[in-house]
Amino acid sequence: MTAPAAAVRHQVPDGPTVVRALVALKLRLVRNGLRRSPGRTAVFVIGGLLGLAFASAIALAMALMNGKFDGSGDAGVMLLGTMTLGWAALPLFLFSSDESSDPTRLTMLPLRPGPLLRGSLLASLVGPGPVINLVLVVGAALSGVGGGASVPFAVVGVPLTLLCLVTLSRAVAAGNARMLSSRRGKDFAIFGGLLFALLVQVANLGSQTVFGRPGKDGTLDLSPLQPIGSVLRWIPPISATDAGRTAGEGRYGLALLQLASSAALLYLLLRWWRSSLTELMVTADSSTLDVARGVQQSRGWRFLPEGRVGAVMQRHLRYAWREPRAKAAVFMSVGMTLVICVMSVVQGWQSVYLLAMTGVFLGLQMLNLFGMDGSAFWMVAATLRTPADARDELRGRAYAVLSYALPVTVVLGLVLAAVTGDWAGLPSAIGLALCLLGCGIALGSVFSVMAPYTMPADSNPMRNAAPGQGGLILLNQFGSMLGVALLALPGIGYLGFALASDVPTWPLLLAGPLYGALIATLGIRYAATRLLRRTPEILAKAIER
């Protein structure tokens, strides 16, 4: 061995050292995160204790159901199925919010894949999340065990299931690390998060249907879970926990097969995780290879107004499309409205007037306009010399919001009218939504100037404020929603009066947008006069990271 090769080999730490360092690093990350503020420490401790208490209550309920209700084991299997789906899907949506799950941060270090894999696996077991999930897995195992023969199989199956869940999560994160750390990956996280939230609501409705229906004798009826549970119990890693129930029934061969299938899955997941780590450590990121690729010039902005208003509109729309947090805010607003509308249709209380929520949520996109600019706001501040400049700046941002809020409102209104059959109420519903939209734009402009807050330096779509900004966020969110309701009282009051007195509601289609435009104009003019005076304070908030 040559001297340089020996020196390089000497610099590579051994396996146990790497494992200890990664576990210590995870502990230090948790500790340093809690040191940022007493409020964060309190939230972490209280949240962990509440999560542990909730998981313990579920585990206790699962254990008490064993022997008292037919199908208690199926309930435990369904719980494990939900947990497996969560561990597999959440890394795709929350990848950028967990620094310890990003293996690309360690790719430049002289580490071998084996020790890195072992250390990352042990570090993943540190924290309240794995402990809470361990309690849930124990509860799922207790829901189906029977007799002393189940104990050894449950003792082996519970930790095997937890290891499979953790390894599945990390393998998915490592296998998609470069995609998830890119801008398109963050866009996928936004859309996937909305879909996941919709699926959670559907599952919630399904659980209410099952657990809210009593049996013939008045007890809890778990029979609807049997068809699904009979399939899920043989799918690893669920099969490892269900091995205790199988052994309690005297089918020891099948119980061993369930454990073996989960162990095989764990082996395959570890191999996938290791190969992903190796590829990340020895393969260049494809996004850095096309350095000679030219930047495509943007076109299609000719329909925008001339002057400062059009330039501000273009900049704001680019933020809404390219900046993950801005895009997340827009799609979360639309997604929340869609989820509520779908739930209303499923549960039977749908109404075309749910369209009003679109005006509220999209109008609040005007909140904290300058915090999103960050340190680039100084270039905007340098050009604000007259009240007309300030008005044009706010008008351009308001027009940008209207450019996507108006089509969304109209399209969603047509869909709601088609689903509910209430075409007669569609004009007034659109008028009320636009009234609320105008009030939201007015209040958003005022709050952006009078109560701005700092955005974090990273572009994580799951973080919309820097630490210590909780009070300002509450003031912006709840204060603006309450203010919108108060400002829109004339429109809301007329609609209520018209519906109660059989007075025509269609005039709201004309009066609502006009009133909203008037309130928005007054709010923008008021905010513009304050913007010139408060530019230094807003700049300080924008660049504080």
Side-chain angles (χ1 to χ4, degrees), residues 52-295:
L52 185 59
F54 184 69
S56 301
I58 294 178
L60 181 61
M62 289 286 179
L64 293 177
M65 284 194 304
N66 189 0
K68 294 184 179 180
F69 302 99
D70 293 334
S72 60
D74 296 323
V77 168
M78 292 293 295
L79 174 62
L80 289 174
T82 304
M83 294 172 59
T84 303
L85 178 62
W87 278 91
L90 287 181
L92 301 177
F93 311 141
L94 303 179
F95 176 82
S96 56
S97 63
D98 184 5
E99 298 177 349
S100 63
S101 66
D102 187 0
T104 59
R105 298 176 180 268
L106 304 175
T107 54
M108 298 302 294
L109 300 178
L111 302 176
R112 296 187 180 91
L116 178 59
L117 176 65
R118 294 191 295 271
S120 300
L121 179 59
L122 291 178
S124 301
L125 297 173
V126 175
V131 176
I132 293 173
N133 281 269
L134 177 60
V135 174
L136 292 175
V137 175
V138 170
L142 293 177
S143 67
V145 296
S150 302
V151 175
F153 288 89
V155 169
V156 176
V158 167
L160 179 59
T161 301
L162 183 64
L163 285 175
C164 285
L165 293 177
V166 174
T167 306
L168 172 63
S169 174
R170 295 305 184 182
V172 170
N176 300 277
R178 285 191 174 140
M179 186 272 290
L180 294 174
S181 59
S182 64
R183 182 171 64 87
R184 291 185 178 180
K186 293 174 181 177
D187 295 343
F188 168 77
I190 297 170
F191 290 108
L194 293 175
L195 178 61
F196 189 76
L198 180 60
L199 292 177
V200 168
Q201 292 298 324
V202 172
N204 180 39
L205 289 176
S207 64
Q208 293 177 6
T209 303
V210 172
F211 294 105
R213 181 176 60 186
K216 296 181 180 180
D217 56 352
T219 60
L220 186 64
D221 183 16
L222 299 177
S223 59
L225 300 179
Q226 195 276 332
I228 304 176
S230 61
V231 176
L232 290 180
R233 68 177 70 257
W234 302 106
I235 300 177
I238 304 172
S239 59
T241 302
D242 190 67
R245 181 199 61 83
T246 306
E249 296 175 353
R251 298 183 293 176
Y252 302 110
L254 289 177
L256 289 174
L257 181 61
Q258 287 178 306
L259 291 176
S261 63
S262 296
L265 174 64
L266 178 60
Y267 173 77
L268 294 176
L269 290 175
L270 289 173
R271 289 293 301 267
W272 178 29
W273 190 2
R274 182 188 176 103
S275 64
S276 299
L277 291 176
T278 303
E279 183 180 359
L280 289 172
M281 297 173 73
V282 301
T283 306
D285 189 354
S286 60
S287 63
T288 63
L289 299 180
D290 297 333
V291 293
R293 184 172 55 190
V295 179

Side-chain angles (χ1 to χ4, degrees), residues 380-438:
V380 176
T383 63
L384 297 177
R385 301 182 180 275
T386 64
D389 292 335
R391 286 195 299 270
D392 289 344
E393 180 70 26
L394 292 174
R395 283 171 52 209
R397 300 187 186 230
Y399 290 165
V401 172
L402 289 172
S403 66
Y404 57 80
L406 292 177
V408 169
T409 302
V410 173
V411 171
L412 186 57
L414 293 173
V415 173
L416 282 173
V419 172
T420 60
D422 188 9
W423 292 99
L426 178 61
S428 57
I430 293 178
L432 180 61
L434 296 182
C435 173
L436 292 167
L437 177 62

Side-chain angles (χ1 to χ4, degrees), residues 33-64:
L34 297 178
R35 285 180 174 178
R36 292 185 179 181
S37 65
R40 172 171 294 197
T41 303
V43 170
F44 180 84
V45 174
I46 295 174
L49 292 177
L50 289 177
L52 185 59
F54 184 69
S56 301
I58 294 178
L60 181 61
M62 289 286 179
L64 293 177

Side-chain angles (χ1 to χ4, degrees), residues 319 325 368-380 397 453-457 538-545:
Y319 279 170
R325 289 172 300 190
N368 201 34
L369 290 172
F370 309 110
M372 190 69 68
D373 293 349
S375 58
F377 179 68
W378 73 268
M379 293 187 293
V380 176
R397 300 187 186 230
Y453 55 88
T454 305
M455 303 289 285
I538 299 174
L539 180 60
K541 283 289 184 181
I543 65 176
E544 179 185 353
R545 297 291 171 121

